Amino acid sequence: MKNKKYINIILVVVLFFFFSIIGYLAPYTNDDWAWGSYIGIDRLNNFFSNYNGRYLGNLLVILLTRYRVIRALTLGVSYTSIILLSFKIVNKKSLPIFLISIILVLFMPRTLFRQVVNWTSGFSNYVPPMIFVLIWIFINKGILNDKCIILNRRRVFSMFVLGVITCLFMEHVTIYIVIASLVSLIYCYKREIKININQVTYFIGTLVGAVLMFQNGAYLNVVKGEDFYRSVPRSGIIMQSIKRYFYTVYHNLVSNNVVVLVIISVCLTYLFLKFIYKKDIKHYKLLSISLYYIVFYSMYSLIALFFPEWQTFKLVFMCIGGCLTLVYLVFLIIFILLAPLEISKKKLLFYLGSIILLVMPLFALSPITPRCFYPMYIFWCLFALELVNDTLKFFKSKMGIKVINYICIISSLVCMVRLLIIASSAFYVDNKMTSYIEKEKANNSVTMLLPKAPYEDYMKHPYPHDEENMKKFKAFYNINENVKLKFIDYLEWHDIINK
């Protein structure tokens, strides 16, 4: 038992230092340039009036784009907390659950990684609120385990504060937590036939937070069609929602999460073979069909990830993928409802319901990007971890458990090394570019030739891609607006400046 405790402590320390190093090395990109310059201060001076109601997220990004060390420490604490909370919600005594929690975070889709890890603006609005949501789930996990909820009156004020701050980062998370806390309150009252003051104060906190967020004039401008960035469909809502599903939603919501899909299919297959593979079992045929399809869809997503070139006719495969994803979700729900699993189905249905509730607002707002699906990814991770935990209860082989642990550790280390190489390369080029900019500014140069960051797939627009971002970039590096900038490949740039 002591050995496990020491292993957990070592893992926490390693995770903290790893994510802190990544947070320090990652260059500032895209909107970071605006938040880290006078543009961010101008937004702060009118307290983000008619900009958005993500008050805590905005304040955090202003801080993190000015102090690299604070950003590093914040990233380290945040992602270590995400992993620890997921582990403690599912099974705080299981080392494999801890290790697989690490795997799920490290192997998140690349499109997500570059927007919520390597991009400070995306991280500030999407990661902290999910930490607070996980804290709420951890506090109330007794509800999902069909246990009595212990009333803690000393926690009343902190629950109110937790409810408020959770709602000041991201709109669809705010909508979700208000509805989820109300459902939790009603459920607790019906089950225990009494009002739980902690649930009440948390719900009131979420209402206060939601009012604070949505009273910002930006949202009225969105509804009126006067917002500079966001919009809601004013006609043809159904057709636009369908297009949005096929073009953006289905792959970010489900099919890109390949590691999660594989874990789910492996666990369900094991459980099916262990307990359900009997001809006299209820719904045997439907469960068999559901499982075959779940495994098929996982393989399809895996092949699509490693061999994207086979999707020659993009529009056709987009339609096929969207339809396959809908069928996958239907069969997954059918399997969970009908299979005689040992795990509480309430947990799994709560996670799936949370995913659906979080994605619904995205059909009504444009634009939506991969980072919008980070909260859903966290719930997919919890869903997969619950299935792993259920599977491990019947996995008696100690050698098999050790093999799983070693595979997770080796995979995590390989992934960490790769991500550190990517971040170090980007940091090196960014440092070279910053030094060169200062030198050229001192020489009053009217044109600057600058290097592009390597591994662009892991960065959110690492160099300006339009006039608006060029303005932000110049503001961040304090470059005169009249100076012309040109970005080229680093090796080409290195050869030119060293001639």
Side-chain angles (χ1 to χ4, degrees):
M1 201 69 180
K2 284 186 176 180
N3 286 340
K4 281 187 178 180
K5 186 177 179 181
Y6 291 138
I7 291 171
N8 288 349
I9 292 171
I10 291 169
L11 287 172
V12 168
V13 171
V14 169
L15 286 170
F16 172 75
F17 278 104
F18 167 74
F19 282 110
S20 295
I21 292 168
I22 292 291
Y24 188 84
L25 296 178
Y28 291 113
T29 62
N30 200 251
D31 283 351
D32 298 346
W33 303 321
W35 287 111
S37 67
Y38 72 88
I39 300 171
I41 298 301
D42 288 345
R43 293 169 182 170
L44 175 62
N45 286 337
N46 62 14
F47 208 66
F48 318 112
S49 176
N50 295 322
Y51 186 73
N52 64 41
R54 307 172 187 175
Y55 298 109
L56 291 183
N58 295 342
L59 291 171
L60 182 62
V61 72
I62 286 174
L63 177 68
L64 300 189
T65 49
R66 282 165 172 76
Y67 302 99
R68 208 172 193 124
V69 172
I70 295 177
R71 181 184 69 167
L73 296 174
T74 304
L75 202 80
V77 169
S78 297
Y79 273 102
T80 304
S81 298
I82 289 279
I83 292 167
L84 269 177
L85 284 165
S86 301
F87 159 62
K88 288 182 176 293
I89 287 168
V90 176
N91 185 349
K92 64 181 180 181
K93 296 180 180 179
S94 172
L95 179 59
I97 293 296
F98 195 0
L99 294 172
I100 293 172
S101 301
I102 296 170
I103 288 286
L104 289 170
V105 170
L106 290 176
F107 286 86
M108 73 173 73
R110 189 188 306 172
T111 52
L112 201 55
F113 185 91
R114 69 180 174 219
Q115 293 196 4
V116 296
V117 178
N118 281 341
W119 186 36
T120 308
S121 300
F123 164 82
S124 299
N125 280 317
Y126 288 88
V127 178
M130 287 313 298
I131 294 174
F132 300 135
V133 170
L134 289 176
I135 290 171
W136 174 69
I137 294 172
F138 176 72
I139 291 170
N140 293 286
K141 66 178 183 176
I143 301 173
L144 299 175
N145 292 325
D146 291 319
K147 295 177 181 176
C148 293
I149 302 166
I150 299 172
L151 183 62
N152 188 342
R153 296 188 184 278
R154 290 176 297 178
R155 200 183 279 165
V156 170
F157 180 70
S158 60
M159 290 297 287
F160 174 79
V161 173
L162 180 63
V164 174
I165 63 176
T166 304
C167 294
L168 297 177
F169 289 91
M170 200 63 233
E171 293 82 5
H172 62 305
V173 175
T174 299
I175 294 169
Y176 162 77
I177 202 63
V178 170
I179 297 173
S181 61
L182 176 60
V183 172
S184 172
L185 175 61
I186 294 169
Y187 177 81
C188 287
Y189 177 74
K190 285 193 171 184
R191 198 182 75 176
E192 300 182 16
I193 320 297
K194 62 181 179 181
I195 294 175
N196 186 304
I197 191 64
N198 291 339
Q199 297 286 333
V200 172
T201 53
Y202 183 79
F203 174 63
I204 293 172
T206 62
L207 284 180
V208 171
V211 170
L212 287 173
M213 168 175 272
F214 290 111
Q215 57 79 35
N216 190 289
Y219 302 106
L220 181 59
N221 291 337
V222 171
V223 174
K224 291 161 64 177
E226 297 175 359
D227 190 78
F228 72 98
Y229 180 63
R230 294 151 296 192
S231 63
V232 291
R234 310 187 74 79
S235 61
I237 295 174
I238 294 175
M239 283 306 299
Q240 288 194 45
S241 296
I242 292 171
K243 283 177 64 177
R244 189 165 298 165
Y245 169 77
F246 283 99
Y247 276 96
T248 309
V249 172
Y250 88 85
H251 51 90
N252 284 305
L253 182 65
V254 184
S255 66
N256 282 358
N257 306 328
V258 174
V259 176
V260 171
L261 294 174
V262 170
I263 290 174
I264 289 172
S265 64
V266 169
C267 290
L268 290 182
T269 301
Y270 180 86
L271 292 170
F272 183 84
L273 295 175
K274 190 77 176 175
F275 300 103
I276 307 171
Y277 205 74
K278 297 177 183 177
K279 298 267 177 134
D280 58 342
I281 198 78
K282 285 184 179 180
H283 313 294
Y284 169 78
K285 287 186 178 179
L286 185 54
L287 284 169
S288 299
I289 293 169
S290 299
L291 180 61
Y292 291 147
Y293 188 86
I294 288 167
V295 174
F296 158 75
Y297 184 83
S298 301
M299 298 306 296
Y300 169 84
S301 299
L302 197 61
I303 293 168
L305 174 70
F306 287 106
F307 303 100
E309 63 276 4
W310 67 280
Q311 302 181 48
T312 309
F313 303 102
K314 190 172 181 180
L315 187 62
V316 174
F317 277 97
M318 186 173 64
C319 293
I320 293 171
C323 293
L324 291 176
T325 300
L326 276 177
V327 177
Y328 172 81
L329 292 173
V330 170
F331 276 127
L332 184 61
I333 293 170
I334 288 172
F335 193 95
I336 297 304
L337 287 173
L338 299 182
L341 300 173
E342 294 289 325
I343 193 172
S344 169
K345 294 182 183 181
K346 197 181 296 177
K347 287 183 182 179
L348 299 179
L349 293 175
F350 168 72
Y351 298 142
L352 287 176
S354 296
I355 290 166
I356 293 168
L357 186 55
L358 280 161
V359 80
M360 292 307 290
L362 302 185
F363 286 99
L365 189 68
S366 292
I368 54 174
T369 54
R371 61 186 178 274
C372 297
F373 296 86
Y374 179 74
M376 294 74 126
Y377 181 76
I378 295 299
F379 278 107
W380 275 121
C381 292
L382 289 174
F383 184 93
L385 288 171
E386 291 289 357
L387 289 176
V388 171
N389 188 48
D390 202 37
T391 303
L392 291 175
K393 289 177 185 176
F394 307 100
F395 201 69
K396 302 300 182 183
S397 170
K398 289 186 178 180
M399 181 57 69
I401 296 291
K402 284 185 178 180
V403 169
I404 292 171
N405 290 343
Y406 285 131
I407 290 173
C408 289
I409 291 169
I410 292 169
S411 301
S412 297
L413 289 174
V414 170
C415 186
M416 284 178 172
V417 170
R418 173 167 169 73
L419 292 175
L420 285 172
I421 290 170
I422 291 169
S424 300
S425 301
F427 180 75
Y428 177 79
V429 173
D430 186 60
N431 262 1
K432 288 283 187 182
M433 182 189 72
T434 303
S435 300
Y436 183 74
I437 287 173
E438 293 303 316
K439 178 183 173 184
E440 291 298 290
K441 279 162 57 179
N443 294 335
N444 296 317
S445 300
V446 294
T447 61
M448 291 187 193
L449 199 62
L450 300 177
K452 293 181 180 179
Y455 302 105
E456 289 181 35
D457 282 354
Y458 286 86
M459 310 289 165
K460 169 69 171 168
H461 298 310
Y463 59 92
H465 58 284
D466 56 29
E467 285 300 318
E468 182 63 27
N469 278 283
M470 186 66 79
K471 179 183 175 182
K472 295 174 185 177
F473 182 88
K474 289 179 178 179
F476 185 78
Y477 288 99
N478 198 25
I479 300 172
N480 189 291
E481 289 185 8
N482 297 319
V483 174
K484 293 182 179 179
L485 305 181
K486 184 181 178 182
F487 290 82
I488 60 173
D489 180 75
Y490 171 74
L491 292 177
E492 183 183 351
W493 175 84
H494 182 269
D495 290 342
I496 291 172
I497 66 165
N498 284 291
K499 280 184 179 178

